[in-house]
Amino acid sequence: MSDKNEGSEDLFEKVYTIQDAVKDGKFMDLDKVLSPSGKRLAPPFFGYVSMGVMEAGMFEEDGDTVNMPNFLDLIRNCSLLLRTLSHGFEDAVESSYIGEVEFPDGKKRTVNIEILEDGNFTLMFPHEKL
C-alpha cells in the first residue's frame, strides 16, 4: 500500500519561503535592520525588503551600513502608497500592491508590495518576486 502523503512532503520541502530568501541574501529581515540588538520591535508593517531595493540607495558608501534617513523615507513613501491603493485601508487587504514611489535619488520606481506567508508586507521590485 502506498502512502499518498509521500508526494506532498516532497512538494512541501521544495517551497521557497521568505526565510529561505533571507538566508540566501536576497531579502533583508527588517527586525535585523531596525533593531540590531535583536530586540523585537512593535509588530512591523513591513517585514522584509529585497536586496535590489536596498541597493537602490539604501546603503552608505561602505555598502554595509544602512542609510537610515533614506531607508525610513522610502518606507514612509511605500506606506503612503499602500494607504492610497487600499483607499485608506478601508478595502479588504490584497495580497499584492504595485505602484510607483520616489526613491532617495529622486527617481520614481515601480515597487511590488506583497503579503507573504508570515503576514507581513514585503517590499521588492516586480522582477524580484519569489
Side-chain angles (χ1 to χ4, degrees), residues 44-46 71-89 97 100-101 111 113 121 123:
F45 191 67
F46 285 93
F71 179 74
L72 294 174
D73 190 45
L74 176 66
I75 293 298
R76 178 185 173 279
N77 290 343
C78 290
S79 298
L80 292 173
L81 173 66
L82 269 175
R83 178 175 291 281
T84 300
L85 293 175
S86 67
H87 302 101
F89 298 106
Y97 296 91
E100 283 191 344
V101 294
V111 293
I113 302 168
F121 286 102
L123 175 62

Side-chain angles (χ1 to χ4, degrees), residues 1 3 6 10 17 26 56 70 90 94 100 114 116 119 126:
M1 187 160 110
D3 185 8
E6 188 176 317
D10 290 340
T17 67
K26 295 178 182 180
N70 283 358
E90 291 181 11
E94 300 290 332
E100 283 191 344
E114 286 194 18
L116 297 178

Side-chain angles (χ1 to χ4, degrees), residues 27-83:
F27 284 79
M28 290 184 78
D29 182 339
L30 288 188
D31 274 341
K32 305 280 190 282
V33 174
L34 299 174
S35 181
S37 67
K39 215 181 240 188
R40 180 141 173 96
L41 303 170
F45 191 67
F46 285 93
Y48 306 93
V49 176
S50 72
M51 289 306 294
V53 168
M54 293 301 291
E55 291 167 353
M58 300 308 116
F59 288 113
E60 297 285 355
E61 289 181 17
D62 65 10
D64 292 324
T65 308
V66 175
N67 180 320
M68 290 309 285
N70 283 358
F71 179 74
L72 294 174
D73 190 45
L74 176 66
I75 293 298
R76 178 185 173 279
N77 290 343
C78 290
S79 298
L80 292 173
L81 173 66
L82 269 175
R83 178 175 291 281

